[in-house]
Amino acid sequence: MNHRPAGHPPTVWKTGTAPGIFPPLTHGIALFRRPLEFLDSLSAHGDLVEIRLGPTRAWVVCHPRLVHEMLRDARTFDKGGPLYTRLRGLMGDGVVTCPHADHRRQRRLLQPAFRPARVARLTGPMGEEAEDLCRAWRDGQEVDVSAAMMTVTTGVVSRVLFSDALDPARAAEVRDCLSTVVRGLFVRTVVPVDAFFRLPLPGHRRYTRAVARLRAVVDEVVAQRRRTGGARDDVLGTLLAAADGPEPEVTGGEVQDQLVSLLLTGAESAALCLSSAFGFLALHPEAEQRMHAEVDTVLAGRARPTAEDLPRLVYTRSVVDESLRLAPPGWLFTRLTTREVEFGGRRLPAGTTVLYSPYLLHHAPESFPDPERFLPERWRRGGPDGPFSPMVPFAAGSRKCLGDTFALAQATVTLATVARHWRLRHRPGPVPPLRPAVTLGPRALVMRCERRPEQPGPVPAGTAAGAATAVPRARACPPPAVRVPREAGDAGGHDA
Ligand code: HEM
Protein backbone atom coordinates (compact mmCIF):
# COMPACT_ATOMS: atom_id res chain seq x y z
CA MET A 1 0.00 0.00 0.00
CA ASN A 2 1.15 3.51 -0.80
CA HIS A 3 1.61 5.32 2.53
CA ARG A 4 2.07 8.90 1.38
CA PRO A 5 -0.40 11.35 2.90
CA ALA A 6 -2.71 13.04 0.40
CA GLY A 7 -1.50 16.62 0.87
CA HIS A 8 2.21 15.88 0.45
CA PRO A 9 3.29 15.01 -3.06
CA PRO A 10 6.28 12.74 -3.44
CA THR A 11 9.27 14.38 -5.13
CA VAL A 12 9.14 11.59 -7.67
CA TRP A 13 5.85 9.95 -8.63
CA LYS A 14 5.89 6.19 -8.67
CA THR A 15 4.47 4.46 -11.72
CA GLY A 16 3.82 0.74 -12.00
CA THR A 17 1.98 -2.01 -13.79
CA ALA A 18 -0.74 -4.16 -12.28
CA PRO A 19 0.30 -7.82 -12.25
CA GLY A 20 -1.23 -10.11 -14.88
CA ILE A 21 -1.23 -7.65 -17.78
CA PHE A 22 -1.32 -10.63 -20.19
CA PRO A 23 -3.49 -12.00 -21.64
CA PRO A 24 -5.18 -8.69 -22.52
CA LEU A 25 -8.61 -9.45 -21.02
CA THR A 26 -7.24 -10.27 -17.52
CA HIS A 27 -7.71 -6.84 -15.95
CA GLY A 28 -11.09 -6.24 -17.54
CA ILE A 29 -12.24 -9.56 -16.13
CA ALA A 30 -10.79 -8.72 -12.69
CA LEU A 31 -12.60 -5.37 -12.78
CA PHE A 32 -15.76 -7.15 -13.80
CA ARG A 33 -15.58 -10.04 -11.31
CA ARG A 34 -14.04 -8.45 -8.22
CA PRO A 35 -13.73 -4.75 -9.02
CA LEU A 36 -13.37 -3.39 -5.50
CA GLU A 37 -10.59 -5.78 -4.51
CA PHE A 38 -8.83 -5.14 -7.82
CA LEU A 39 -8.94 -1.37 -7.26
CA ASP A 40 -7.80 -1.71 -3.65
CA SER A 41 -4.78 -3.70 -4.83
CA LEU A 42 -3.55 -1.08 -7.29
CA SER A 43 -1.99 1.58 -5.03
CA ALA A 44 0.61 -0.99 -3.95
CA HIS A 45 2.03 -0.71 -7.48
CA GLY A 46 2.35 3.08 -7.68
CA ASP A 47 0.67 6.46 -7.89
CA LEU A 48 -0.14 5.85 -11.55
CA VAL A 49 -0.70 2.22 -12.48
CA GLU A 50 -0.99 0.68 -15.90
CA ILE A 51 -3.76 -1.82 -16.64
CA ARG A 52 -5.31 -3.30 -19.80
CA LEU A 53 -8.99 -3.06 -20.65
CA GLY A 54 -9.39 -5.50 -23.49
CA PRO A 55 -7.04 -4.27 -26.19
CA THR A 56 -6.76 -0.82 -24.57
CA ARG A 57 -3.81 0.22 -22.44
CA ALA A 58 -5.03 2.45 -19.58
CA TRP A 59 -3.67 4.17 -16.48
CA VAL A 60 -5.36 4.26 -13.06
CA VAL A 61 -4.56 7.35 -10.95
CA CYS A 62 -4.10 6.23 -7.35
CA HIS A 63 -2.87 9.36 -5.52
CA PRO A 64 -5.43 12.06 -4.55
CA ARG A 65 -3.11 14.86 -5.56
CA LEU A 66 -2.69 13.43 -9.05
CA VAL A 67 -6.46 12.89 -9.30
CA HIS A 68 -7.03 16.58 -8.54
CA GLU A 69 -4.33 17.62 -11.03
CA MET A 70 -6.13 15.60 -13.66
CA LEU A 71 -9.61 16.89 -12.78
CA ARG A 72 -8.41 20.50 -12.87
CA ASP A 73 -7.09 20.11 -16.38
CA ALA A 74 -10.34 19.17 -18.11
CA ARG A 75 -9.03 20.39 -21.46
CA THR A 76 -6.22 17.79 -21.48
CA PHE A 77 -8.07 15.04 -19.61
CA ASP A 78 -11.35 15.28 -21.46
CA LYS A 79 -14.48 13.17 -21.04
CA GLY A 80 -13.72 10.03 -23.02
CA GLY A 81 -12.45 6.48 -22.63
CA PRO A 82 -14.64 3.35 -22.41
CA LEU A 83 -17.18 4.70 -19.88
CA TYR A 84 -17.92 7.93 -21.70
CA THR A 85 -17.90 6.22 -25.10
CA ARG A 86 -20.71 4.01 -23.77
CA LEU A 87 -22.53 6.84 -22.04
CA ARG A 88 -22.55 8.86 -25.26
CA GLY A 89 -24.58 6.07 -26.87
CA LEU A 90 -27.19 6.79 -24.23
CA MET A 91 -26.91 10.48 -23.39
CA GLY A 92 -25.57 11.86 -26.67
CA ASP A 93 -23.45 14.94 -26.05
CA GLY A 94 -25.34 16.31 -23.03
CA VAL A 95 -23.60 18.08 -20.16
CA VAL A 96 -22.36 14.86 -18.54
CA THR A 97 -20.63 13.51 -21.63
CA CYS A 98 -19.90 16.49 -23.88
CA PRO A 99 -16.32 17.39 -24.77
CA HIS A 100 -14.61 20.23 -22.94
CA ALA A 101 -15.03 22.55 -25.95
CA ASP A 102 -18.83 22.63 -25.55
CA HIS A 103 -19.02 22.21 -21.79
CA ARG A 104 -19.07 25.78 -20.50
CA ARG A 105 -22.08 26.74 -22.64
CA GLN A 106 -24.08 23.72 -21.53
CA ARG A 107 -23.20 24.08 -17.88
CA ARG A 108 -24.19 27.77 -17.87
CA LEU A 109 -27.55 26.90 -19.34
CA LEU A 110 -28.38 24.25 -16.74
CA GLN A 111 -26.64 25.59 -13.64
CA PRO A 112 -29.46 27.95 -12.49
CA ALA A 113 -31.79 24.98 -11.83
CA PHE A 114 -29.34 23.62 -9.25
CA ARG A 115 -28.36 26.83 -7.42
CA PRO A 116 -28.61 26.64 -3.60
CA ALA A 117 -31.68 28.96 -3.48
CA ARG A 118 -33.56 26.70 -5.92
CA VAL A 119 -32.49 23.61 -3.99
CA ALA A 120 -33.77 25.19 -0.77
CA ARG A 121 -37.18 25.64 -2.44
CA LEU A 122 -37.17 21.94 -3.34
CA THR A 123 -36.78 20.80 0.26
CA GLY A 124 -40.59 20.69 0.59
CA PRO A 125 -41.14 18.41 -2.46
CA MET A 126 -38.21 16.23 -1.34
CA GLY A 127 -39.85 15.66 2.04
CA GLU A 128 -43.28 15.13 0.43
CA GLU A 129 -41.96 12.39 -1.87
CA ALA A 130 -40.34 10.61 1.10
CA GLU A 131 -43.44 10.99 3.26
CA ASP A 132 -45.78 9.71 0.51
CA LEU A 133 -43.59 6.69 0.20
CA CYS A 134 -43.39 5.63 3.80
CA ARG A 135 -46.98 6.57 4.67
CA ALA A 136 -48.01 3.35 2.93
CA TRP A 137 -45.61 1.16 4.94
CA ARG A 138 -46.94 -1.12 7.68
CA ASP A 139 -45.19 -2.21 10.85
CA GLY A 140 -43.25 -5.44 10.20
CA GLN A 141 -43.65 -5.15 6.41
CA GLU A 142 -40.70 -5.98 4.15
CA VAL A 143 -39.94 -3.24 1.65
CA ASP A 144 -37.64 -3.14 -1.34
CA VAL A 145 -35.58 -0.17 -0.16
CA SER A 146 -33.63 0.11 -3.43
CA ALA A 147 -36.84 0.41 -5.44
CA ALA A 148 -38.40 2.74 -2.86
CA MET A 149 -35.43 5.11 -2.99
CA MET A 150 -35.51 5.09 -6.80
CA THR A 151 -39.19 6.08 -6.60
CA VAL A 152 -38.33 9.02 -4.34
CA THR A 153 -35.34 10.26 -6.35
CA THR A 154 -37.00 9.80 -9.76
CA GLY A 155 -40.00 11.69 -8.40
CA VAL A 156 -37.94 14.64 -7.18
CA VAL A 157 -35.59 14.89 -10.14
CA SER A 158 -38.48 14.68 -12.61
CA ARG A 159 -40.13 17.64 -10.83
CA VAL A 160 -36.95 19.65 -11.42
CA LEU A 161 -36.75 18.55 -15.04
CA PHE A 162 -40.36 18.59 -16.20
CA SER A 163 -42.54 19.67 -13.26
CA ASP A 164 -45.31 17.09 -12.96
CA ALA A 165 -45.21 15.65 -16.50
CA LEU A 166 -43.94 12.20 -15.53
CA ASP A 167 -47.10 10.34 -14.50
CA PRO A 168 -46.74 7.26 -12.24
CA ALA A 169 -46.81 4.77 -15.15
CA ARG A 170 -44.08 6.61 -17.06
CA ALA A 171 -42.04 7.07 -13.88
CA ALA A 172 -42.17 3.31 -13.25
CA GLU A 173 -41.09 2.65 -16.82
CA VAL A 174 -38.17 5.05 -16.47
CA ARG A 175 -37.06 3.27 -13.29
CA ASP A 176 -37.15 -0.14 -15.00
CA CYS A 177 -35.19 1.12 -17.98
CA LEU A 178 -32.59 2.81 -15.77
CA SER A 179 -31.95 -0.38 -13.84
CA THR A 180 -31.36 -2.41 -17.03
CA VAL A 181 -29.19 0.31 -18.52
CA VAL A 182 -26.84 0.81 -15.55
CA ARG A 183 -26.21 -2.92 -15.34
CA GLY A 184 -25.49 -3.28 -19.04
CA LEU A 185 -23.27 -0.18 -19.17
CA PHE A 186 -20.74 -1.58 -16.75
CA VAL A 187 -19.77 -4.69 -18.65
CA ARG A 188 -19.57 -2.62 -21.82
CA THR A 189 -17.11 -0.32 -20.03
CA VAL A 190 -14.70 -2.90 -18.60
CA VAL A 191 -14.84 -5.23 -21.61
CA PRO A 192 -14.93 -2.72 -24.46
CA VAL A 193 -15.22 -5.27 -27.27
CA ASP A 194 -18.03 -3.93 -29.46
CA ALA A 195 -18.41 -7.02 -31.66
CA PHE A 196 -19.51 -9.05 -28.63
CA PHE A 197 -22.31 -6.65 -27.76
CA ARG A 198 -23.62 -6.73 -31.32
CA LEU A 199 -24.41 -10.45 -30.93
CA PRO A 200 -28.19 -10.94 -30.81
CA LEU A 201 -28.22 -12.31 -27.23
CA PRO A 202 -31.33 -11.73 -25.04
CA GLY A 203 -29.41 -9.52 -22.56
CA HIS A 204 -28.03 -7.36 -25.37
CA ARG A 205 -31.49 -6.94 -26.85
CA ARG A 206 -32.89 -6.03 -23.43
CA TYR A 207 -30.24 -3.32 -23.05
CA THR A 208 -30.91 -1.87 -26.50
CA ARG A 209 -34.66 -1.87 -25.85
CA ALA A 210 -34.25 -0.14 -22.49
CA VAL A 211 -32.11 2.62 -24.03
CA ALA A 212 -34.64 3.15 -26.83
CA ARG A 213 -37.59 3.19 -24.42
CA LEU A 214 -35.92 5.68 -22.07
CA ARG A 215 -35.34 8.07 -24.93
CA ALA A 216 -38.88 7.50 -26.21
CA VAL A 217 -40.42 8.42 -22.83
CA VAL A 218 -38.41 11.65 -22.77
CA ASP A 219 -39.48 12.36 -26.37
CA GLU A 220 -43.13 11.93 -25.38
CA VAL A 221 -42.77 14.37 -22.49
CA VAL A 222 -41.06 16.97 -24.71
CA ALA A 223 -43.70 16.56 -27.45
CA GLN A 224 -46.50 16.90 -24.91
CA ARG A 225 -45.01 20.13 -23.53
CA ARG A 226 -44.61 21.52 -27.03
CA ARG A 227 -48.27 20.71 -27.73
CA THR A 228 -49.63 22.22 -24.53
CA GLY A 229 -47.18 25.16 -24.59
CA GLY A 230 -46.87 27.59 -21.69
CA ALA A 231 -43.65 28.60 -19.96
CA ARG A 232 -42.80 26.46 -16.94
CA ASP A 233 -40.10 27.10 -14.39
CA ASP A 234 -38.27 23.80 -14.93
CA VAL A 235 -35.27 22.50 -16.88
CA LEU A 236 -37.44 21.53 -19.85
CA GLY A 237 -38.83 25.10 -19.91
CA THR A 238 -35.27 26.51 -19.92
CA LEU A 239 -34.18 24.17 -22.69
CA LEU A 240 -37.21 24.84 -24.89
CA ALA A 241 -36.81 28.59 -24.44
CA ALA A 242 -33.19 28.24 -25.61
CA ALA A 243 -34.16 25.92 -28.49
CA ASP A 244 -37.20 27.76 -29.79
CA GLY A 245 -35.97 31.34 -29.48
CA PRO A 246 -35.21 33.54 -32.52
CA GLU A 247 -31.51 32.57 -32.33
CA PRO A 248 -31.61 28.97 -31.06
CA GLU A 249 -28.83 28.18 -28.62
CA VAL A 250 -29.79 24.53 -28.40
CA THR A 251 -30.91 21.94 -30.95
CA GLY A 252 -33.95 19.65 -30.51
CA GLY A 253 -31.58 16.69 -30.11
CA GLU A 254 -29.73 18.45 -27.31
CA VAL A 255 -32.97 19.04 -25.39
CA GLN A 256 -33.47 15.30 -25.27
CA ASP A 257 -29.79 14.53 -24.50
CA GLN A 258 -29.80 16.91 -21.52
CA LEU A 259 -32.99 15.46 -20.08
CA VAL A 260 -31.83 11.85 -20.41
CA SER A 261 -28.44 12.78 -18.90
CA LEU A 262 -29.97 14.50 -15.88
CA LEU A 263 -32.60 11.83 -15.35
CA LEU A 264 -30.04 9.03 -15.33
CA THR A 265 -27.38 10.75 -13.21
CA GLY A 266 -29.89 12.44 -10.90
CA ALA A 267 -32.08 9.49 -9.98
CA GLU A 268 -29.72 6.54 -9.85
CA SER A 269 -26.77 7.89 -7.80
CA ALA A 270 -28.97 9.62 -5.25
CA ALA A 271 -31.07 6.46 -4.74
CA LEU A 272 -27.97 4.33 -4.21
CA CYS A 273 -26.58 6.79 -1.68
CA LEU A 274 -29.81 6.52 0.33
CA SER A 275 -30.04 2.72 0.12
CA SER A 276 -26.42 2.45 1.28
CA ALA A 277 -27.12 4.78 4.20
CA PHE A 278 -30.12 2.74 5.40
CA GLY A 279 -28.11 -0.46 5.03
CA PHE A 280 -25.18 0.92 7.06
CA LEU A 281 -27.44 2.36 9.78
CA ALA A 282 -29.11 -1.01 10.33
CA LEU A 283 -25.67 -2.54 10.92
CA HIS A 284 -24.67 0.22 13.35
CA PRO A 285 -27.42 0.71 15.95
CA GLU A 286 -25.45 3.31 17.90
CA ALA A 287 -25.13 5.55 14.85
CA GLU A 288 -28.79 4.95 14.09
CA GLN A 289 -29.84 5.90 17.62
CA ARG A 290 -27.80 9.03 17.46
CA MET A 291 -29.36 10.03 14.18
CA HIS A 292 -32.85 9.32 15.49
CA ALA A 293 -32.17 11.46 18.56
CA GLU A 294 -31.06 14.34 16.35
CA VAL A 295 -34.04 13.99 13.98
CA ASP A 296 -36.50 13.89 16.91
CA THR A 297 -34.96 16.97 18.45
CA VAL A 298 -34.72 19.04 15.27
CA LEU A 299 -38.13 18.07 13.85
CA ALA A 300 -39.78 18.39 17.25
CA GLY A 301 -42.87 16.49 16.13
CA ARG A 302 -43.06 17.88 12.58
CA ALA A 303 -43.40 15.37 9.73
CA ARG A 304 -40.38 16.47 7.71
CA PRO A 305 -37.54 18.99 7.75
CA THR A 306 -37.57 22.41 6.14
CA ALA A 307 -34.59 24.07 4.43
CA GLU A 308 -33.93 25.94 7.70
CA ASP A 309 -33.57 22.63 9.55
CA LEU A 310 -30.83 21.30 7.29
CA PRO A 311 -27.88 23.06 8.99
CA ARG A 312 -29.02 21.53 12.30
CA LEU A 313 -29.21 17.97 10.99
CA VAL A 314 -25.47 17.71 11.52
CA TYR A 315 -25.25 14.04 12.42
CA THR A 316 -27.75 13.01 9.73
CA ARG A 317 -25.54 14.78 7.20
CA SER A 318 -22.49 12.95 8.61
CA VAL A 319 -24.30 9.68 7.94
CA VAL A 320 -24.76 10.81 4.33
CA ASP A 321 -21.09 11.80 4.03
CA GLU A 322 -19.86 8.54 5.53
CA SER A 323 -22.13 6.53 3.23
CA LEU A 324 -20.77 8.46 0.25
CA ARG A 325 -17.24 7.75 1.44
CA LEU A 326 -17.69 4.02 1.99
CA ALA A 327 -19.89 3.38 -1.05
CA PRO A 328 -19.53 6.27 -3.53
CA PRO A 329 -22.26 5.69 -6.15
CA GLY A 330 -19.91 7.10 -8.80
CA TRP A 331 -16.94 4.85 -8.11
CA LEU A 332 -15.00 4.63 -11.41
CA PHE A 333 -14.64 7.15 -14.23
CA THR A 334 -12.62 7.42 -17.41
CA ARG A 335 -10.90 10.25 -19.26
CA LEU A 336 -9.03 10.51 -22.56
CA THR A 337 -5.97 12.72 -23.06
CA THR A 338 -6.37 15.24 -25.88
CA ARG A 339 -2.64 15.95 -26.20
CA GLU A 340 0.68 14.50 -25.13
CA VAL A 341 1.15 15.31 -21.45
CA GLU A 342 3.71 14.82 -18.70
CA PHE A 343 1.69 13.31 -15.86
CA GLY A 344 2.68 11.45 -12.69
CA GLY A 345 6.21 10.98 -13.99
CA ARG A 346 5.13 9.54 -17.35
CA ARG A 347 4.76 11.00 -20.78
CA LEU A 348 1.24 10.02 -21.87
CA PRO A 349 0.52 10.31 -25.59
CA ALA A 350 -2.66 11.94 -26.88
CA GLY A 351 -5.51 9.43 -26.84
CA THR A 352 -4.44 7.68 -23.59
CA THR A 353 -7.24 6.29 -21.41
CA VAL A 354 -6.93 7.38 -17.76
CA LEU A 355 -9.18 6.15 -14.93
CA TYR A 356 -9.86 7.52 -11.47
CA SER A 357 -11.88 5.97 -8.70
CA PRO A 358 -13.47 7.81 -5.75
CA TYR A 359 -13.81 4.34 -4.17
CA LEU A 360 -10.04 3.76 -4.32
CA LEU A 361 -9.27 7.16 -2.74
CA HIS A 362 -11.99 6.82 -0.07
CA HIS A 363 -10.64 3.44 1.07
CA ALA A 364 -6.97 4.43 1.40
CA PRO A 365 -5.93 3.95 5.05
CA GLU A 366 -3.44 6.83 4.88
CA SER A 367 -6.38 9.19 4.20
CA PHE A 368 -9.11 7.48 6.28
CA PRO A 369 -7.86 5.39 9.21
CA ASP A 370 -9.68 2.06 9.45
CA PRO A 371 -11.28 2.75 6.08
CA GLU A 372 -13.70 -0.19 6.01
CA ARG A 373 -15.44 1.00 9.13
CA PHE A 374 -18.71 2.98 8.99
CA LEU A 375 -18.01 5.91 11.28
CA PRO A 376 -20.11 9.06 10.76
CA GLU A 377 -18.15 10.66 13.63
CA ARG A 378 -15.26 11.13 11.18
CA TRP A 379 -17.19 14.06 9.71
CA ARG A 380 -17.81 15.88 12.96
CA ARG A 381 -15.23 18.49 12.12
CA GLY A 382 -15.85 18.42 8.40
CA GLY A 383 -13.46 15.60 7.40
CA PRO A 384 -10.38 15.94 5.20
CA ASP A 385 -10.59 19.17 3.27
CA GLY A 386 -8.32 21.34 1.17
CA PRO A 387 -7.37 21.47 -2.47
CA PHE A 388 -6.28 17.82 -2.68
CA SER A 389 -8.96 16.23 -0.49
CA PRO A 390 -9.19 12.46 -0.92
CA MET A 391 -12.99 12.74 -0.45
CA VAL A 392 -14.33 13.16 -3.98
CA PRO A 393 -17.81 11.59 -4.19
CA PHE A 394 -18.86 14.40 -6.55
CA ALA A 395 -15.47 14.73 -8.32
CA ALA A 396 -13.80 18.16 -8.54
CA GLY A 397 -12.85 20.86 -11.03
CA SER A 398 -15.04 22.15 -13.83
CA ARG A 399 -16.72 18.74 -14.37
CA LYS A 400 -17.71 18.44 -10.72
CA CYS A 401 -21.24 17.12 -10.21
CA LEU A 402 -23.86 19.72 -11.13
CA GLY A 403 -26.34 18.22 -8.64
CA ASP A 404 -24.11 17.91 -5.55
CA THR A 405 -25.99 20.44 -3.38
CA PHE A 406 -29.29 19.02 -4.57
CA ALA A 407 -28.20 15.41 -3.86
CA LEU A 408 -26.91 16.22 -0.36
CA ALA A 409 -30.10 18.07 0.53
CA GLN A 410 -32.25 15.28 -0.83
CA ALA A 411 -30.35 12.56 1.03
CA THR A 412 -30.53 14.47 4.33
CA VAL A 413 -34.23 15.30 3.96
CA THR A 414 -35.16 11.75 2.94
CA LEU A 415 -33.16 10.12 5.74
CA ALA A 416 -34.71 12.45 8.32
CA THR A 417 -38.25 12.05 6.97
CA VAL A 418 -38.09 8.25 6.96
CA ALA A 419 -36.26 8.10 10.31
CA ARG A 420 -38.98 10.25 11.90
CA HIS A 421 -41.30 7.21 11.82
CA TRP A 422 -39.34 4.15 10.79
CA ARG A 423 -36.36 2.07 11.68
CA LEU A 424 -35.26 -0.24 8.84
CA ARG A 425 -33.84 -3.64 9.75
CA HIS A 426 -31.93 -6.14 7.62
CA ARG A 427 -33.63 -9.46 7.08
CA PRO A 428 -32.07 -12.44 8.88
CA GLY A 429 -29.12 -13.96 7.00
CA PRO A 430 -26.23 -12.36 5.12
CA VAL A 431 -26.48 -8.67 4.33
CA PRO A 432 -26.72 -8.00 0.57
CA PRO A 433 -23.29 -6.90 -0.65
CA LEU A 434 -22.31 -3.73 -2.46
CA ARG A 435 -22.67 -4.59 -6.11
CA PRO A 436 -20.66 -2.48 -8.50
CA ALA A 437 -22.20 -1.83 -11.87
CA VAL A 438 -21.67 1.45 -13.65
CA THR A 439 -22.66 2.82 -10.24
CA LEU A 440 -22.03 1.34 -6.78
CA GLY A 441 -24.51 0.52 -4.02
CA PRO A 442 -26.83 -2.17 -2.73
CA ARG A 443 -29.28 -3.35 -5.38
CA ALA A 444 -32.51 -5.15 -4.51
CA LEU A 445 -32.01 -4.32 -0.82
CA VAL A 446 -35.07 -5.60 1.05
CA MET A 447 -35.50 -4.49 4.68
CA ARG A 448 -38.14 -4.84 7.36
CA CYS A 449 -39.83 -1.67 8.69
CA GLU A 450 -40.27 -1.20 12.41
CA ARG A 451 -42.45 1.69 13.47
CA ARG A 452 -40.69 3.99 15.92
CA PRO A 453 -42.63 5.16 18.98
CA GLU A 454 -44.65 8.33 18.30
CA GLN A 455 -42.56 11.44 19.03
CA PRO A 456 -43.88 14.38 21.05
CA GLY A 457 -45.68 17.13 19.11
CA PRO A 458 -44.15 20.45 18.02
CA VAL A 459 -42.38 22.40 20.76
CA PRO A 460 -42.98 26.13 21.18
CA ALA A 461 -41.04 28.36 18.76
CA GLY A 462 -37.57 29.24 19.94
CA THR A 463 -36.88 26.10 21.94
CA ALA A 464 -36.02 23.69 19.11
CA ALA A 465 -32.72 25.36 18.23
CA GLY A 466 -31.49 25.16 21.79
CA ALA A 467 -32.63 21.58 22.12
CA ALA A 468 -30.80 20.61 18.96
CA THR A 469 -27.50 21.22 20.68
CA ALA A 470 -28.45 18.52 23.20
CA VAL A 471 -27.83 15.78 20.61
CA PRO A 472 -25.38 13.32 22.23
CA ARG A 473 -21.75 14.10 21.41
CA ALA A 474 -19.63 11.59 19.55
CA ARG A 475 -18.38 8.76 21.74
CA ALA A 476 -14.71 8.84 22.57
CA CYS A 477 -14.56 5.15 21.78
CA PRO A 478 -16.41 4.31 18.56
CA PRO A 479 -18.62 1.24 18.23
CA PRO A 480 -17.16 -2.05 17.01
CA ALA A 481 -16.57 -2.23 13.29
CA VAL A 482 -18.94 -4.11 11.05
CA ARG A 483 -17.29 -4.86 7.74
CA VAL A 484 -19.22 -4.02 4.65
CA PRO A 485 -19.59 -7.08 2.42
CA ARG A 486 -18.36 -6.67 -1.12
CA GLU A 487 -19.12 -8.74 -4.14
CA ALA A 488 -18.47 -9.22 -7.79
CA GLY A 489 -19.38 -6.48 -10.24
CA ASP A 490 -23.03 -6.54 -11.07
CA ALA A 491 -22.82 -6.34 -14.77
CA GLY A 492 -25.68 -8.78 -14.65
CA GLY A 493 -24.49 -11.77 -16.65
CA HIS A 494 -28.00 -12.02 -18.04
CA ASP A 495 -28.34 -8.29 -18.53
CA ALA A 496 -25.09 -7.76 -20.33
C1 HEM B 1 -25.39 11.10 -4.37
C2 HEM B 1 -25.69 11.50 -5.58
C3 HEM B 1 -24.70 11.84 -6.66
C4 HEM B 1 -23.39 11.48 -6.80
C5 HEM B 1 -22.55 10.62 -5.85
C6 HEM B 1 -22.89 12.10 -8.02
C7 HEM B 1 -21.59 11.99 -8.47
C8 HEM B 1 -21.11 12.60 -9.61
C9 HEM B 1 -19.74 12.51 -10.07
C10 HEM B 1 -18.61 11.77 -9.37
C11 HEM B 1 -19.64 13.23 -11.21
C12 HEM B 1 -18.37 13.46 -12.05
C13 HEM B 1 -18.15 12.33 -13.03
C14 HEM B 1 -16.78 12.36 -13.66
O1 HEM B 1 -15.83 12.91 -13.10
O2 HEM B 1 -16.61 11.79 -14.76
C15 HEM B 1 -20.96 13.77 -11.49
C16 HEM B 1 -21.27 14.55 -12.57
C17 HEM B 1 -22.52 15.04 -12.80
N1 HEM B 1 -23.64 14.89 -12.02
FE1 HEM B 1 -23.77 13.93 -10.26
N2 HEM B 1 -23.91 12.79 -8.59
C18 HEM B 1 -25.03 12.67 -7.80
C19 HEM B 1 -26.27 13.24 -8.01
C20 HEM B 1 -26.58 14.05 -9.06
C21 HEM B 1 -27.85 14.71 -9.25
C22 HEM B 1 -29.02 14.64 -8.28
C23 HEM B 1 -27.77 15.37 -10.44
C24 HEM B 1 -28.79 16.22 -11.13
C25 HEM B 1 -30.06 16.05 -11.10
C26 HEM B 1 -26.45 15.14 -10.98
C27 HEM B 1 -25.98 15.66 -12.16
C28 HEM B 1 -24.68 15.55 -12.61
C29 HEM B 1 -24.21 16.17 -13.85
C30 HEM B 1 -25.05 17.00 -14.81
C31 HEM B 1 -22.85 15.85 -13.96
C32 HEM B 1 -21.89 16.30 -15.07
C33 HEM B 1 -21.31 17.64 -14.67
C34 HEM B 1 -20.41 18.27 -15.72
O3 HEM B 1 -19.68 17.54 -16.43
O4 HEM B 1 -20.45 19.50 -15.80
N3 HEM B 1 -25.75 14.34 -10.11
N4 HEM B 1 -21.83 13.36 -10.49
Side-chain angles (χ1 to χ4, degrees), residues 73 118 256 336:
D73 186 358
R118 286 273 191 113
Q256 194 202 44
L336 201 67

PDB file of all heavy atoms in Angstrom, residues 73 118 256 336:
ATOM      1  N   ASP A  73      -7.472  19.865 -14.991  1.00  0.00           N
ATOM      2  CA  ASP A  73      -7.092  20.113 -16.383  1.00  0.00           C
ATOM      3  C   ASP A  73      -8.056  19.366 -17.309  1.00  0.00           C
ATOM      4  O   ASP A  73      -7.700  18.386 -17.967  1.00  0.00           O
ATOM      5  CB  ASP A  73      -5.637  19.659 -16.595  1.00  0.00           C
ATOM      6  CG  ASP A  73      -5.126  20.033 -17.985  1.00  0.00           C
ATOM      7  OD1 ASP A  73      -5.906  20.605 -18.769  1.00  0.00           O
ATOM      8  OD2 ASP A  73      -3.960  19.732 -18.274  1.00  0.00           O
ATOM      9  N   ARG A 118     -32.572  27.577  -5.290  1.00  0.00           N
ATOM     10  CA  ARG A 118     -33.560  26.695  -5.916  1.00  0.00           C
ATOM     11  C   ARG A 118     -33.668  25.390  -5.131  1.00  0.00           C
ATOM     12  O   ARG A 118     -34.746  24.861  -4.929  1.00  0.00           O
ATOM     13  CB  ARG A 118     -33.141  26.335  -7.348  1.00  0.00           C
ATOM     14  CG  ARG A 118     -33.311  27.432  -8.332  1.00  0.00           C
ATOM     15  CD  ARG A 118     -34.755  27.404  -8.894  1.00  0.00           C
ATOM     16  NE  ARG A 118     -34.838  28.289 -10.026  1.00  0.00           N
ATOM     17  CZ  ARG A 118     -35.037  27.886 -11.265  1.00  0.00           C
ATOM     18  NH1 ARG A 118     -35.196  26.616 -11.537  1.00  0.00           N
ATOM     19  NH2 ARG A 118     -35.078  28.764 -12.230  1.00  0.00           N
ATOM     20  N   GLN A 256     -33.263  16.678 -25.714  1.00  0.00           N
ATOM     21  CA  GLN A 256     -33.468  15.304 -25.268  1.00  0.00           C
ATOM     22  C   GLN A 256     -32.214  14.758 -24.557  1.00  0.00           C
ATOM     23  O   GLN A 256     -32.318  14.132 -23.500  1.00  0.00           O
ATOM     24  CB  GLN A 256     -33.813  14.436 -26.487  1.00  0.00           C
ATOM     25  CG  GLN A 256     -34.357  13.102 -26.081  1.00  0.00           C
ATOM     26  CD  GLN A 256     -34.210  12.074 -27.172  1.00  0.00           C
ATOM     27  OE1 GLN A 256     -33.151  11.994 -27.798  1.00  0.00           O
ATOM     28  NE2 GLN A 256     -35.254  11.320 -27.401  1.00  0.00           N
ATOM     29  N   LEU A 336      -9.893  10.759 -21.408  1.00  0.00           N
ATOM     30  CA  LEU A 336      -9.031  10.507 -22.562  1.00  0.00           C
ATOM     31  C   LEU A 336      -8.160  11.747 -22.772  1.00  0.00           C
ATOM     32  O   LEU A 336      -8.699  12.863 -22.828  1.00  0.00           O
ATOM     33  CB  LEU A 336      -9.912  10.264 -23.798  1.00  0.00           C
ATOM     34  CG  LEU A 336      -9.274   9.525 -24.949  1.00  0.00           C
ATOM     35  CD1 LEU A 336      -8.954   8.076 -24.568  1.00  0.00           C
ATOM     36  CD2 LEU A 336     -10.237   9.496 -26.157  1.00  0.00           C
TER      37      LEU A 336
END
